[in-house]
Amino acid sequence: MNRWAVPILLSWATMLPGNIDAAQPKWQPASGAAIEGQSLNNVESSNGIAIYTGNKSIIIVTDHKVEVRVFTILGQLVSHGNLPHGASILNINSRGIYIVKIENITQKVAL
């Protein structure tokens, strides 16, 4: 391999989406968000946590404070946050398949 190839590949890797930086999407209260359809997970067996999708967004409804992590399908952390009870929304600018982890729940989400 060319001795210049490694630094170039490393610089490209830092530009890939999913790196944690100041542009990381933030969770916000979902007071005005329309929640439609069924939850992606079984709410009864998920300790009162419901996961929904919207227009390029993930919506979490919970009756207690939870820690949420969202990953790309490749395992890159997209967002991490502690959500209060109620509805919270994460707007993601790109379509794709994401993995949402909340407590003992792991849910695949397609946007």
Side-chain angles (χ1 to χ4, degrees), residues 5-21:
V6 172
I8 291 171
L9 289 174
L10 288 175
S11 67
W12 283 346
T14 60
M15 293 185 287
L16 290 173
N19 290 325
I20 302 172
D21 59 13

Side-chain angles (χ1 to χ4, degrees), residues 9-62:
L9 289 174
L10 288 175
S11 67
W12 283 346
T14 60
M15 293 185 287
L16 290 173
N19 290 325
I20 302 172
D21 59 13
Q24 181 181 20
K26 303 288 183 204
W27 288 94
Q28 301 173 349
S31 57
I35 300 173
E36 299 176 359
Q38 288 187 325
S39 173
L40 298 176
N41 62 318
N42 184 342
V43 179
E44 289 89 29
S45 65
S46 300
N47 199 18
I49 299 169
I51 303 170
Y52 300 91
T53 59
N55 185 21
K56 293 186 182 179
S57 61
I58 299 171
I59 303 167
I60 306 293
V61 179
T62 180

Side-chain angles (χ1 to χ4, degrees), residues 33-102:
I35 300 173
E36 299 176 359
Q38 288 187 325
S39 173
L40 298 176
N41 62 318
N42 184 342
V43 179
E44 289 89 29
S45 65
S46 300
N47 199 18
I49 299 169
I51 303 170
Y52 300 91
T53 59
N55 185 21
K56 293 186 182 179
S57 61
I58 299 171
I59 303 167
I60 306 293
V61 179
T62 180
D63 58 3
H64 61 282
K65 186 176 178 179
V66 293
E67 179 182 8
V68 179
R69 293 184 199 160
V70 179
F71 299 91
T72 65
I73 196 71
L74 299 175
Q76 296 172 316
L77 183 64
V78 174
S79 180
H80 174 260
N82 291 308
L83 306 183
H85 71 281
S88 300
I89 187 168
L90 178 69
N91 293 313
I92 300 177
N93 291 329
S94 58
R95 297 202 177 274
I97 298 174
Y98 297 90
I99 305 298
V100 177
K101 290 193 168 207
I102 308 170

